[in-house]
Amino acid sequence: IEMELSSVLRKHSRTIEGKQQLIINSFAKALEIIPRQLADNAGIDSTDVLNRLRKEHSAASDAGRWMGVDVLCEGGGTCDTFLAGVW
């Protein structure tokens, strides 16, 4: 959910001018620390995982809405967390 929030906030920050844009963008970047740390703790390359997650969450459809870090590494570092039952 953190990557989805980050994606929405980044899109919203592009519509705002001034310092508020920087603040919202920085908060969106801070939300990405959670999946990065999960990937690092699981021994997965966090840069690859974050790039995959950004790609999934930036897609026009809602298919990537629930994509998150797969700590079991069954899906290459990402999985649909809703289907996996991750709450």
Side-chain angles (χ1 to χ4, degrees):
I1 187 102
E2 294 85 10
M3 290 300 290
E4 183 68 19
L5 288 172
S6 176
S7 175
V8 170
L9 285 174
R10 284 183 191 268
K11 288 176 187 173
H12 178 66
S13 72
R14 293 184 193 121
T15 65
I16 299 173
E17 296 180 9
K19 292 180 182 178
Q20 290 83 8
Q21 180 183 26
L22 297 174
I23 293 168
I24 292 172
N25 202 16
S26 295
F27 186 74
K29 185 177 179 182
L31 286 172
E32 293 182 0
I33 291 173
I34 298 168
R36 177 181 298 275
Q37 194 63 46
L38 282 172
D40 282 340
N41 289 349
I44 308 168
D45 185 8
S46 60
T47 304
D48 288 341
V49 170
L50 282 178
N51 285 335
R52 284 189 203 125
L53 288 174
R54 283 187 192 115
K55 179 183 169 189
E56 293 287 339
H57 287 276
S58 67
S61 67
D62 288 339
R65 174 178 284 179
W66 299 105
M67 295 303 287
V69 179
D70 181 10
V71 296
L72 301 176
C73 291
E74 294 173 357
T78 60
C79 71
D80 187 332
T81 55
F82 187 78
L83 294 177
V86 177
W87 303 102

